[in-house]
Amino acid sequence: MRSAPRGSFRYDFAVYDGQGRLSALLEAKRRFGTDSSWARSWHAMTAGGTEPPADVNVVLVTPDRIYAWRPGAGAAANPDWILDAVSWFEPYFQRLQIPAAEVDPHVFEAIVGLWLHDVVQGDMPADSDTQRAQGLLEALRGGEVVSRVAA
């Protein structure tokens, strides 16, 4: 995982495909009990400030849900995917011996980075959400993860 060598971006992580094209922007938020309305508001506020390129997936990651928008989704669009993240992040919390409810926001961001690195390597547990998220996961697989440098 590298730190923002390809220019700056407002999201915590960017994924570039094998040809060096930006394929996804991801934001980690340590917030529990979220729903699609909250995610849609976050997307409208974030995308309204600077529109991501039209061919990029936008992904909002919380400890219990992953919300993702397909390329070209308008600022006020509902997420295309709403995935249960608990089973995907549980192994990371267990390894660090941190209860999810007590994780520091910066530590959660680091966990998302570890998870994202595993995803691009094709290392994901098989569960029902993995099947439902194939389009999103395929856009991430084989990519290069770049993290935003904290200011």
Side-chain angles (χ1 to χ4, degrees):
M1 188 168 11
R2 295 192 311 175
S3 297
R6 300 179 189 207
S8 62
F9 46 88
R10 292 180 50 178
Y11 297 82
D12 294 322
F13 302 97
V15 177
Y16 293 87
D17 68 14
Q19 288 74 46
R21 294 180 304 243
L22 183 63
S23 63
L25 294 167
L26 293 91
E27 182 72 18
K29 294 285 186 195
R30 185 212 167 268
R31 184 167 178 155
F32 295 90
T34 62
D35 60 18
S36 61
S37 175
W38 174 82
R40 185 179 58 245
S41 295
W42 172 87
H43 187 255
M45 182 180 63
T46 303
T50 57
E51 195 68 33
D55 56 348
V56 172
N57 292 285
V58 174
V59 184
L60 173 60
V61 183
T62 70
D64 50 4
R65 298 269 185 277
I66 296 174
Y67 302 94
W69 291 262
R70 294 182 194 274
N78 285 318
D80 293 296
W81 291 283
I82 302 173
L83 308 166
D84 181 5
V86 173
S87 64
W88 288 358
F89 291 122
E90 184 176 354
Y92 302 94
F93 289 120
Q94 286 178 349
R95 270 188 270 167
L96 295 171
Q97 298 179 356
I98 300 172
E102 296 175 16
V103 69
D104 177 87
H106 296 294
V107 173
F108 178 66
E109 185 177 321
I111 289 171
V112 171
L114 293 170
W115 168 81
L116 184 56
H117 179 73
D118 288 346
V119 170
V120 300
Q121 298 298 317
D123 185 18
M124 280 294 299
D127 67 10
S128 60
D129 273 353
T130 303
Q131 279 297 84
R132 289 184 332 135
Q134 281 305 310
L136 173 62
L137 296 174
E138 285 301 318
L140 300 174
R141 278 196 192 107
E144 177 187 4
V145 178
V146 177
S147 65
R148 178 181 63 192
V149 177

